[in-house]
Amino acid sequence: MLDHLPHYRDKIEQLKGPIFVFGASGFIGANLFNDIFKIRKDCYALTHDATKAWRLKLLNVPFENIIHCDILSDNSVREVFDRYKPQTLFNLAAYGAYSKQSSVNLTYETNVIGTANILQNCNKETVYIHAGSSSEYGFNCTAPKETDRVEPNSHYAVSKVSAAYLLEYYARVFELKTLNLRLYSIYGYWEEPDRLIPKLVESVRQGELPSLVSPDISRDFVFIEDCVEAFLDAALKINSTTSGKSYNIATGRKTTIGDLVETSRQTFGIKQEPKWGSMSNRKWDLAEWFGDPEAFETDFGWKAKTSLEDGLSKTKAWQDQQKYEDTILPAFLNPKLNPVITAIIACYKDAQAIPYMYERIVKTCNELKVRYEIIFVNDNSPDNQEEVINKICDKDPNVVGISHSRNFGSQAAFLSGMEIATGDCVVLMDGDLQDPPEIIPAFYEKWMEGFDVVYGVRVQREMKPHIHFFYKTFYKIFQGLSYIPIPRDAGDFSMIDRKVVKELVDLPETEQFLRGLRAWVGFKQTGVPYVRPERMFGVSTNNWTKNIWWAKKAIFSFSFAPLELMSYAGFTLTGLSILGIIWQILAKLFFFPDTPQGISTVIVLIVFFGGLTILGISFLGEYITKIFEETKKRPKYIRTRIRRGSKSYKTADEIRTLVKQLRK
């Protein structure tokens, strides 16, 4: 909330925009982005994998302000620079600081190559503030000044020193405004729950102490709000004299783990005695590790204001407010525990049903405690469907409306929504409410178990018995004919993981039968039984002709059986014809010499073989038609408008740019 920023709100307002925060899904990056975004909407969170950005999800950051960018790709960096033209950059992207980040190559690629890629796209007007590390000093860790020798003691430290020299090089040679902030032990809101202070605060909230290392290990603890202010001061006050330099962001106070625990006991009234050594020391633990912030205080006027007691108290209050055990811990342990589910609804003549569909999906997602995105695809319906979707978009920014130039069919509608879906998984549904939203929790449960595709299996249809019989018979025949295992009685209604969605969207074929393609791409799949209800409003747009068309599309897309059948028929009839000729000769010469020449036999054979030939040609024609359609390479659909909340994208360029951005 804004009252969290009383002393640096004015500084945020003075920043030159647009503002980029690289590494915004991390601890410090999320805090920096969150504080700026509360006041400035031209601030963007850049991350290489938004699906795992649990902090951004819990902060409910709008998707428009989250940008996918792989800093290891110069093309990716250049593209976002060209599009947004940022003026202030905070780079907090890093790899290798934690023991679980053990790839040496990725450490250097992220911390050095990634930094170089960003700097190459900066200009003299851009302000670039870099998150360095106190580990750059390595063995020389006792209150070093910025002018003292750096003695890195790990690959991570070497890579951060290299990045610091890169900044100095670009400042001197290319006159860029760069600054490296060597951060000491930052703590506070949104820190990884397995780190020292979050663990300590979590334990004291339960009236106890966690496992501890040696009491002599020391740190220089800086509260996150002071750290954020340091970045703001650096961006606002950098000049030609300070550009390219490195500065210590520290309190200048040595605090041992013993001091930390004693302060916590006094602040929170903990009576339990600490058990020292109950946790083994880490290789980076040092007895004399604290900084000298004098240079940054002199050049930028910054000083850490928050005492350790106040910082611990604020962290505890934050954990209480966030319901730490119910939200933060599960999201950290498994980012999928706080997913975004995208419901894609193919709509045609469903204006009456859409409001009910919306209400039921929202209710279901709220009960599941998950975030939602709902995409209504208006497949050029002749009723007032678009007007109904617009009204929902006006009141809910999580709703997206897509309009097509003509009726392309439900498969194209689903793909149109899948291409711009931002959720961790998508749910495909028909707009007539025959796919009940109340089944989504059952899908979600299976998805959480690790299944990539969860499809609905229609165990019963609320329809006339003879129609139900024909549907069951078709699925049984189709399953037998298909060259891949396709689940019986499974329609489009399904929950599909994001990685599977990407594969389906990237498939090149124009004629798409999704329930077949869904089986073809593989991955881990399972079914959930449900009863398919009757259509709530109006009458079905399917008829016998359309159902036969669907059956043909399914069979000719995923089966070679018709061609194989004609081959077998050809061999069989050729064999029978040869036997018939032999029999005619033998009968005429030996057995029945008076056998009359029968014109009826000739006519029957001509009709039979003629019909068989035409049938074979028709089978070939079906496959050739499919080949013809694929060679034309026409788009699967044409969008005339995309509506995201209250914002509309109407021109072809606007739609193309949005789709390109969302597909990353």
Side-chain angles (χ1 to χ4, degrees):
M1 299 187 321
L2 290 180
D3 56 5
H4 287 169
L5 308 174
H7 58 283
Y8 51 72
R9 174 174 180 168
D10 291 344
K11 295 178 181 180
I12 291 173
E13 291 173 343
Q14 293 174 44
L15 292 173
K16 293 194 299 181
I19 304 162
F20 273 10
V21 180
F22 287 91
S25 58
F27 159 44
I28 302 173
N31 277 279
L32 179 61
F33 170 80
N34 187 41
D35 282 355
I36 297 174
F37 186 68
K38 289 172 184 174
I39 299 168
R40 298 279 296 271
K41 300 310 175 188
D42 60 343
C43 182
Y44 298 91
L46 283 84
T47 178
H48 73 287
D49 188 356
T51 63
K52 295 180 180 178
W54 60 272
R55 294 178 178 91
L56 298 181
K57 291 178 183 178
L58 291 178
L59 285 168
N60 289 318
V61 179
F63 186 81
E64 289 79 2
N65 289 83
I66 300 177
I67 300 174
H68 170 87
C69 181
D70 181 3
I71 63 172
L72 302 187
S73 166
D74 183 53
N75 287 336
S76 180
V77 176
R78 187 186 309 117
E79 190 171 310
V80 297
F81 268 73
D82 290 343
R83 174 168 173 73
Y84 293 93
K85 296 178 173 52
Q87 295 299 301
T88 302
L89 299 167
F90 298 104
N91 183 14
L92 297 103
Y95 180 91
Y98 304 137
S99 57
K100 57 191 174 186
Q101 297 174 332
S102 57
S103 171
V104 175
N105 288 341
L106 194 54
T107 297
Y108 287 101
E109 288 172 355
T110 304
N111 302 340
V112 182
I113 303 302
T115 301
N117 286 338
I118 296 172
L119 289 170
Q120 285 184 77
N121 288 280
C122 294
N123 56 51
K124 293 181 180 180
E125 301 303 316
T126 308
V127 173
Y128 176 96
I129 309 301
H130 189 84
S133 171
S134 60
S135 64
E136 295 173 39
Y137 293 113
F139 298 106
N140 182 21
C141 58
T142 306
K145 292 184 179 294
E146 290 82 352
T147 54
D148 290 349
R149 174 181 169 81
V150 291
E151 300 178 12
N153 58 357
S154 67
H155 284 295
Y156 174 70
V158 172
S159 69
K160 297 301 280 185
V161 169
S162 302
Y165 282 122
L166 258 179
L167 267 63
E168 184 177 355
Y169 166 73
Y170 273 89
R172 287 189 174 186
V173 177
F174 300 102
E175 299 180 359
L176 298 187
K177 298 174 184 176
T178 68
L179 211 65
N180 182 48
L181 303 185
R182 288 175 176 157
L183 308 178
Y184 276 75
S185 296
I186 314 301
Y187 71 98
Y189 323 132
W190 300 105
E191 189 175 2
E192 283 79 359
D194 59 355
R195 304 291 286 172
L196 172 61
I197 288 190
K199 272 285 186 188
L200 176 62
V201 174
E202 180 189 352
S203 295
V204 301
R205 290 172 60 240
Q206 310 301 323
E208 56 190 28
L209 295 173
S211 299
L212 297 164
V213 295
S214 167
D216 299 326
I217 301 300
S218 72
R219 295 278 193 278
D220 190 330
F221 292 106
V222 181
F223 189 57
I224 185 63
E225 290 179 357
D226 293 329
C227 177
V228 169
E229 188 170 18
F231 276 93
L232 299 176
D233 285 338
L236 292 173
K237 299 178 182 179
I238 187 173
N239 55 43
S240 58
T241 303
T242 57
S243 184
K245 291 185 177 181
S246 294
Y247 287 94
N248 297 332
I249 304 302
T251 64
R253 294 186 295 272
K254 171 185 171 181
T255 303
T256 66
I257 303 302
D259 296 333
L260 172 65
V261 172
E262 187 57 34
T263 300
S264 300
R265 292 180 68 202
Q266 292 178 6
T267 303
F268 303 113
I270 304 299
K271 296 180 180 180
Q272 178 186 342
E273 292 292 331
K275 295 180 180 179
W276 301 112
S278 55
M279 176 181 174
S280 58
N281 292 358
R282 280 74 57 87
K283 60 184 179 181
W284 59 84
D285 285 331
L286 300 167
E288 299 288 333
W289 186 8
F290 58 99
D292 181 352
E294 183 181 351
F296 196 65
E297 291 178 17
T298 301
D299 291 348
F300 290 85
W302 173 90
K303 188 172 185 177
K305 302 181 180 70
T306 309
S307 67
L308 185 58
E309 294 86 350
D310 288 345
L312 291 172
S313 296
K314 288 183 177 182
T315 303
K316 177 182 179 297
W318 176 81
Q319 287 193 7
D320 291 335
Q321 180 187 20
Q322 293 291 327
K323 298 180 180 177
Y324 195 72
E325 288 76 12
D326 296 331
T327 57
I328 305 298
L329 291 182
F332 169 71
L333 293 172
N334 183 0
K336 274 192 173 182
L337 287 178
N338 184 48
V340 177
I341 296 178
T342 298
I344 302 173
I345 300 99
C347 305
Y348 186 73
K349 296 183 178 179
D350 295 318
Q352 289 179 286
I354 287 173
Y356 293 91
M357 174 69 82
Y358 167 74
E359 297 290 345
R360 287 167 63 177
I361 291 175
V362 171
K363 182 175 182 290
T364 300
C365 290
N366 288 340
E367 290 173 352
L368 280 174
K369 294 182 172 61
V370 297
R371 294 173 63 195
Y372 65 86
E373 175 186 56
I374 303 175
I375 301 178
F376 290 104
V377 184
N378 175 21
D379 203 25
N380 200 36
S381 180
D383 57 11
N384 66 330
Q385 199 168 261
E386 184 162 332
E387 181 182 336
V388 173
I389 295 172
N390 286 341
K391 289 180 179 178
I392 298 175
C393 288
D394 286 335
K395 70 177 183 179
D396 191 340
N398 297 311
V399 176
V400 178
I402 300 175
S403 298
H404 284 173
S405 62
R406 69 169 178 82
N407 181 246
F408 288 92
S410 63
Q411 307 298 282
F414 286 135
L415 284 165
S416 180
M418 289 163 70
E419 188 177 29
I420 66 168
T422 65
D424 299 294
C425 60
V426 305
V427 178
L428 306 184
M429 310 173 73
D430 287 331
D432 54 11
L433 288 171
Q434 288 188 285
D435 296 330
E438 291 73 20
I439 305 298
I440 292 177
F443 286 175
Y444 178 74
E445 181 180 351
K446 292 294 183 183
W447 181 66
M448 292 299 298
E449 291 175 8
F451 289 97
D452 300 308
V453 176
V454 186
Y455 50 82
V457 179
R458 300 158 175 170
V459 294
Q460 181 64 44
R461 296 170 182 263
E462 295 180 356
M463 57 175 55
K464 295 177 181 177
H466 68 282
I467 299 177
H468 179 68
F469 169 77
F470 282 121
Y471 272 109
K472 297 283 286 188
T473 304
F474 163 71
Y475 277 108
K476 188 172 183 179
I477 294 172
F478 180 42
Q479 189 179 48
L481 294 179
S482 175
Y483 57 75
I484 56 171
I486 293 182
R488 188 181 300 182
D489 297 317
D492 295 318
F493 187 31
S494 55
M495 177 177 283
I496 308 175
D497 190 85
R498 187 173 183 83
K499 62 177 174 285
V500 184
V501 170
K502 185 179 186 306
E503 297 299 330
L504 290 171
V505 170
D506 288 343
L507 290 174
E509 55 201 86
T510 304
E511 278 270 322
Q512 298 202 325
F513 183 64
L514 275 177
R515 62 198 75 171
L517 292 174
R518 188 181 63 202
W520 181 87
V521 295
F523 296 94
K524 191 176 179 182
Q525 305 197 10
T526 190
V528 169
Y530 78 104
V531 175
R532 185 171 171 84
E534 283 190 288
R535 187 182 177 100
M536 182 177 286
F537 299 100
V539 295
S540 174
T541 54
N542 281 342
N543 50 42
W544 282 107
T545 302
K546 196 165 184 178
N547 285 332
I548 292 171
W549 178 84
W550 272 107
K552 285 169 53 182
K553 182 174 184 176
I555 291 171
F556 288 112
S557 293
F558 289 92
S559 176
F560 300 128
L563 293 177
E564 294 170 355
L565 178 63
M566 293 311 301
S567 297
Y568 296 144
F571 282 121
T572 302
L573 292 173
T574 300
L576 290 174
S577 299
I578 293 172
L579 291 175
I581 292 170
I582 294 171
W583 167 253
Q584 285 286 346
I585 294 172
L586 293 176
K588 188 70 175 175
L589 295 178
F590 302 107
F591 303 116
F592 307 105
D594 297 328
T595 301
Q597 297 180 0
I599 191 168
S600 60
T601 304
V602 174
I603 292 173
V604 169
L605 289 174
I606 289 173
V607 171
F608 176 70
F609 283 106
L612 191 64
T613 302
I614 292 172
L615 181 63
I617 292 172
S618 69
F619 285 168
L620 287 173
E622 291 287 350
Y623 287 105
I624 292 170
T625 299
K626 287 195 168 292
I627 295 170
F628 179 56
E629 282 297 318
E630 295 301 327
T631 56
K632 288 188 286 190
K633 296 296 179 186
R634 289 175 181 166
K636 304 177 184 75
Y637 40 78
I638 298 173
R639 303 184 184 94
T640 57
R641 194 188 69 157
I642 297 178
R643 178 91 181 261
R644 291 183 64 82
S646 59
K647 188 172 183 180
S648 287
Y649 302 83
K650 295 180 180 179
T651 69
D653 287 340
E654 287 178 339
I655 293 173
R656 195 179 300 113
T657 301
L658 177 66
V659 171
K660 188 177 180 181
Q661 176 189 353
L662 295 178
R663 282 198 64 176
K664 292 178 183 178

